[in-house]
Amino acid sequence: TITPQFSVCDILGEIILSDSITRVTNFRVQTPHSVVIISAGIAGINLTRGIDLSSLYNKQTHAVLKSSYIDLDELKILLPPIHFLSGGVTIDLDAEGEFGNLNIRRLALQTTSGSIKSTGSLKNLHDPKNLFINLIIGDSRINPINITQLLPKLNLDFIKTIPSTATSIHFIGSPLDFMITTNLTGDYGIVDLNGTLNLRKKIPEYEFSFTTRKLNFSAITNQQLPKTNLKSQGTIKGNSFDLDNINARLKWEFDSSWVNDLTITGTQIFLNAFPKHFDGLLMLKIESMISYGTVKADFKNRECPNYGIELSCRSVDISKLFSLIFFPFFFFSRTPSSLPFNPLFTSL
């Protein structure tokens, strides 16, 4: 006995087939894990005569999906390009236009604890390999836990502790290769993120710039970290999110910020990430104190990673500097995925 990869349990609805139009009204399709309710029409085709997807490019189309639940693990059987997605979403959709250049009047996605509302356009539906998306997302709220569930292959567990976030996004590109402009606002502060992500390649590539306002790390990690209020800007460029393959560069500059009531000005952080090890350079200006330092972390031994920091300082108030020196180690030691660290060196 052969078990089919995809099966349909129930089909119900009104269908009109003619030479001038194919139309379905309140058409309900149920699979073992999904329910889709759609009213749609495409002018100038008759399904009884077969269909060539590429011929639909300039055909007038309209589609309305009402509170349809779609299991993405089922859908990717039919649409392999979305293989990186998992989980399920409830969809409301209202779209019309040429099949190859479809206008999205409304697209609303609902997960267990988040929602996305958007408008925009889809191009090349007649040629799925070249699907192009232009979506503007607003009045939406995202729970990062949902993102890790929807994108399990990207190993994004580090964002699970981020609180629910009010979101506005402009997405341009294909599902696997896109440019994005994002504003995130939550109890942790405000983050603006702009850049590109390419998932077509075996090892993902990315390049982003970002700014923060009133950023509080203790709210992001949900741990007892020192309180922060960070005004900053930075860039990150690299490939892979996996510790065994990562190759990335981070530049982060701070101004008019504070940590534990210590004022930070003119501070820069440069971090290089390589497979199984990180290194970086710090240039700190904290009130009257000026410090320069290097940091290293070695993850070859996953059971007991090594780390180290060297600092040279002047105008030092040790009682104030203490919390800042050990802030990153306090952070690592309290994140759920961390393991014990073994210091390589520490000197002042």
Side-chain angles (χ1 to χ4, degrees), residues 181-201:
T181 302
T182 307
N183 173 268
L184 308 173
T185 303
D187 293 340
Y188 52 83
I190 301 171
V191 177
D192 294 303
L193 178 68
N194 308 306
T196 61
L197 176 62
N198 187 346
L199 302 173
R200 290 187 182 277
K201 299 182 178 181

Side-chain angles (χ1 to χ4, degrees), residues 152-265:
K153 293 186 177 180
L154 296 188
N155 298 318
L156 299 177
D157 287 349
F158 63 91
I159 70 172
K160 283 184 176 180
T161 58
I162 299 175
S164 180
T165 298
T167 306
S168 63
I169 299 173
H170 189 186
F171 180 105
I172 302 175
S174 74
L176 297 177
D177 186 5
F178 55 85
M179 177 175 65
I180 193 167
T181 302
T182 307
N183 173 268
L184 308 173
T185 303
D187 293 340
Y188 52 83
I190 301 171
V191 177
D192 294 303
L193 178 68
N194 308 306
T196 61
L197 176 62
N198 187 346
L199 302 173
R200 290 187 182 277
K201 299 182 178 181
K202 184 177 180 180
I203 298 179
E205 294 182 353
Y206 46 88
E207 183 173 359
F208 292 98
S209 63
F210 59 89
T211 62
T212 71
R213 286 165 283 168
K214 300 181 179 180
L215 181 63
N216 182 6
F217 270 117
S218 63
I220 292 176
T221 61
N222 197 28
Q223 302 290 339
Q224 295 178 357
L225 291 172
K227 290 184 179 180
T228 64
N229 186 318
L230 303 180
K231 178 184 176 183
S232 67
Q233 62 183 7
T235 59
I236 183 170
K237 180 178 181 180
N239 52 65
S240 183
F241 302 102
D242 187 339
L243 194 62
D244 292 329
N245 299 299
I246 192 169
N247 194 319
R249 306 289 184 274
L250 169 70
K251 179 182 179 181
W252 201 352
E253 299 176 294
F254 301 84
D255 194 13
S256 302
S257 303
W258 54 259
V259 176
N260 272 3
D261 296 325
L262 294 178
T263 302
I264 300 175
T265 60

Side-chain angles (χ1 to χ4, degrees), residues 59-60 83 207 210 219 244 247 255 269 276 282-283 297-298 308 313 329 334 336-337:
K59 304 298 184 183
Q60 287 297 315
H83 64 88
E207 183 173 359
F210 59 89
D244 292 329
N247 194 319
D255 194 13
I269 297 176
K276 298 182 180 179
L282 308 175
M283 292 182 286
D298 190 325
C313 309
F329 308 126
R334 290 180 176 265
S337 60

